[in-house]
Amino acid sequence: MSDTAIDRSRLTVSDEVAIQILGMNKWYGAFHVLRDINLTINKGERIVVCGPSGSGKSTLIRCINRLEEHQSGKIIVDGIELTNDLKHIDQVRSEVGMVFQHFNLFPHLTILENCTLAPIWVRKVPRKEAVETAMYYLEKVKIPEQANKYPGQLSGGQQQRVAIARSLCMRPNIMLFDEPTSALDPEMIKEVLDTMIQLAEEGMTMICVTHEMGFARQVANRVIFMDQGQVVEQNEPEAFFNNPRSDRTKLFLSQILGH
Amino acid sequence: MSGTHAHSAAFVRDAMLPQEPPPATSVGALGWLRQNLFSSWLNAILTVLSLALIGYVLAAILPWIFQSSWSAGSLAECRDQIKAAYGSEASGACWAVIRERWLQLIFGFYPSELYWRPILGFALALAGMAPVLFTGLPRKMLYLSLAAPFVVPWLLWGGTVWLPVSVALGFVLGYAAQRIVAPLAGGLLGAVVAGLLPVLWWFLLAGPFATLLHQIGPLGIEPVSSRNFGGFMLSITIGLTAIALSLPIGVLLALGRQSDLFILRAICVGFIELIRGVPLITLLFVASLLLNYFMPPGTNFDIILRVIIMVTLFASAYMAEVIRGGLAALPKGQYEAADALGLDYWKAQRLVVMPQALKISIPGIVSTFIGVFKDTTLVSIIGLLDPVGFSNSIRADVNWNGIVWELYGFIALMFFVFCFSMSRYSMYLERKLRTEHR
Ligand SMILES: Nc1ncnc2c1ncn2[C@@H]1O[C@H](COP(=O)(O)OP(=O)(O)OP(=O)(O)O)[C@@H](O)[C@H]1O
Ligand SMILES: [Mg+2]
């Protein structure tokens, strides 16, 4: 859990819409994994998604950059609706960064190459400029000195910070995090959370699946609780943690905070 | 002195121990012998037995190799020379046959005044391969790699210079089609047109076009017919082409087999299973006999070209399966990370997936290469004079009737040199990539 002081007054939410999900449903085969999801997320919001294992949290955020396809309803990201149109998908993907539980760095490329690959090949940024951007973000996540190493030579926490830097190099408007700290040892969790807090302070729109309730209290402006593929409850963090309304939420909170 | 106190758990060392040399039996030659050959009684017995076996085999072979004749003109003369030199009981190798025929074993019936052409071609092929195999070399050399596939066949077969130009034009055509069609009609159609157009060009227009150019500007070297190709030159021509082509085709087949497009997947699976399910010999017979029935009468579809196509298809099917193994070993997260960064399918394959999948598959890929190269000896069955085929024709000569081991030994040695180099290269590459990525 992070104890870095954060100035909440600096966290502002605009009233422009970043992501809109309307009546969205998804099935894996016959299994109805997401049921009638309706969500509107404004620019600058920091959303924490929590819920029991298998409730569909990962699936939900993976639908937002079309790593998973939804079967009905609408997902509109930055004004672009996600359909089968590959152009729209690529457009959305280059504006939405994603950080995975297991980092998913490219092991055959150096840290620097990991960070410059997509800007050079997708955004067509000149190599020199891409390297400058990469070094800027690597400094931001506090590991510029590792730039020429390979991912296998870094600790888990360092790898996850590289993964964040790699996403940021595409200059995304929205960042998705799928349990970014749950594969990490406790002493490395803080360094990753600090990086995320820093991002939040800079006004990044963030959706974060996490079990770090300290982070949720501190950074989130909204907590979404999911169970069985549905959004069961959403509220501001204080209200959410202090007086949860649904029984499922109460049970969940007592399980993860109780012991 | 002892630093421990038997009765209490607390412990403080009061003197540091100096570093001492290891015992003599664990270092140096003695240590190596002990560790590797005599580490236990069983190991020692096995060592002695193996040494005895090796000694026995060498005792039989070495005299045969060295009590030999290098200067005879026939097998009978050879035997007489050996008997005269080493006693009537001695049997030795008749290397004279190699000395007399080695040029033919290497070049077949290629006209001897033109030997410089295959030699230059081979050197050019090596120079073209070098920058691909060794990334440390200057990148400018890649132009050689691009030119070699067109220049080397021209050197080998000769003829008009316009034919390779015309063939190269097919690639330009494909590239242009891709650049023009893809933005207009989408990537898939672009790829299809870019694939079909060059094939049509090669089959229908490339020949006449080259002839036309040749009439306008006759420029060429003396043609050499495929019938005169033979020996290792033939093996290398077939093997190298099949090796160079089977890797890219294998990659495409492996990707096709994993594709979401049902038809494409079905075609790739069908092709792979069909080719793998048929012996190479059968394919070669198809190449040598059947294809002639299907071709319009009068067309002259070069036999070596037909064989190369069959061997390439055969190798590609195996290659596809080897690469599929590498693809399957990649974690799903790699694809997802590439997708999430906005890399499209081909870029993700080229930049993220293939470098890793190919690295994993190196041992299998090189095994396939080695297999293909050795399998080129099968062409002797359809009457091509590869080294094995040629050795048969040497034996048909009255002078050398009955000679076996010398020829096969020489051929085996040559093949071993090639295959062992490939195997060493693969180990070098694996070691290099391992240190790079770790
Ligand atoms: N590719 C798939 N095919 C079929 N079922 C799947 C697939 N991926 C996930 N599921 C199922 O969908 C449900 C939701 O999965 P999801 O990964 O979204 O859950 P989650 O809330 O992220 O859980 P966790 O906290 O364990 O990560 C689970 O029951 C899972 O078994
Ligand atoms: Mg999950």
Side-chain angles (χ1 to χ4, degrees), chain B residues 396-409:
Chain B
D397 183 337
V398 240
N399 284 337
W400 300 112
N401 200 337
I403 199 157
V404 179
W405 295 106
E406 291 82 351
L407 288 171
Y408 283 147

Side-chain angles (χ1 to χ4, degrees), chain B residues 219-358:
Chain B
L219 197 62
I221 50 180
E222 187 183 333
V224 176
S225 138
S226 285
R227 264 180 304 132
N228 294 333
F229 277 52
F232 280 99
M233 192 188 104
L234 180 65
S235 302
I236 293 173
T237 308
I238 298 174
L240 211 58
T241 319
I243 283 174
L245 291 179
S246 65
L247 188 61
I249 299 178
V251 166
L252 292 180
L253 282 172
L255 292 179
R257 190 168 188 163
Q258 292 204 327
S259 163
D260 296 332
L261 307 171
F262 176 77
I263 300 285
L264 184 63
R265 191 169 63 229
I267 292 175
C268 290
V269 172
F271 176 85
I272 292 171
E273 297 303 340
L274 186 74
I275 297 279
R276 282 204 313 164
V278 175
L280 180 55
I281 289 278
T282 319
L283 293 178
L284 291 176
F285 276 123
V286 170
S288 93
L289 303 171
L290 275 180
L291 281 187
N292 268 352
Y293 294 119
F294 294 123
M295 305 304 281
T299 42
N300 175 24
F301 194 9
D302 190 272
I303 177 71
I304 295 184
L305 188 57
R306 279 183 270 163
V307 165
I308 286 179
I309 291 176
M310 283 305 179
V311 176
T312 303
L313 294 184
F314 187 75
S316 307
Y318 278 88
M319 196 58 75
E321 288 299 282
V322 168
I323 292 168
R324 189 165 69 98
L327 288 174
L330 267 203
K332 202 162 146 256
Q334 293 291 309
Y335 294 89
E336 290 178 352
D339 280 347
L341 285 170
L343 294 169
D344 64 31
Y345 178 80
W346 290 109
K347 283 179 190 147
Q349 292 298 340
R350 185 166 119 223
L351 302 167
V352 174
V353 176
M354 275 307 152
Q356 297 184 64
L358 290 181

Side-chain angles (χ1 to χ4, degrees), chain A residues 4 26 47 61 63-64 78 86 147 162 174 208 211 217:
Chain A
T4 309
K26 166 160 186 64
I47 310 259
I61 69 167
C63 281
I64 294 174
D78 255 346
L86 286 176
V162 172
I174 299 166
C208 182
H211 297 295
R217 274 179 197 273

Side-chain angles (χ1 to χ4, degrees), chain A residues 81-226:
Chain A
E81 181 174 357
L82 281 171
T83 57
N84 277 326
D85 189 337
L86 286 176
K87 262 198 201 112
H88 287 179
I89 295 176
D90 286 340
Q91 217 172 336
V92 166
R93 280 178 180 166
S94 62
E95 296 196 9
V96 177
M98 177 140 189
V99 175
F100 300 87
Q101 182 175 4
H102 295 288
F103 332 134
N104 297 353
L105 294 177
F106 304 131
H108 62 299
L109 300 177
T110 63
I111 300 307
L112 188 62
E113 288 165 343
N114 262 280
C115 293
T116 54
L117 185 79
I120 289 175
W121 291 93
V122 180
R123 285 241 191 275
K124 314 275 183 216
V125 175
R127 181 171 298 270
K128 190 163 159 287
E129 199 184 317
V131 169
E132 278 165 17
T133 314
M135 288 313 293
Y136 170 79
Y137 283 112
L138 284 175
E139 251 155 60
K140 203 157 186 167
V141 301
K142 303 195 177 67
I143 30 177
E145 70 283 0
Q146 313 283 5
N148 291 314
K149 289 194 183 167
Y150 287 90
Q153 297 167 307
L154 269 54
S155 76
Q158 289 173 325
Q159 289 192 46
Q160 193 60 297
R161 284 184 283 152
V162 172
I164 295 175
R166 178 176 71 176
S167 291
L168 292 177
C169 285
M170 288 293 282
R171 304 197 182 272
N173 303 325
I174 299 166
M175 286 286 285
L176 309 174
F177 295 85
D178 191 359
E179 307 202 27
T181 57
S182 54
L184 297 178
D185 292 338
E187 67 267 34
M188 295 171 190
I189 292 180
K190 180 175 170 349
E191 61 189 49
V192 171
L193 289 183
D194 283 349
T195 309
M196 291 167 62
I197 289 171
Q198 200 183 343
L199 261 185
E201 285 179 330
E202 287 164 12
M204 179 66 77
T205 311
M206 297 165 64
I207 305 178
C208 182
V209 175
T210 182
H211 297 295
E212 295 295 330
M213 291 307 147
F215 175 80
R217 274 179 197 273
Q218 222 183 343
V219 180
N221 67 315
R222 183 147 53 120
V223 179
I224 292 178
F225 175 72
M226 288 185 66

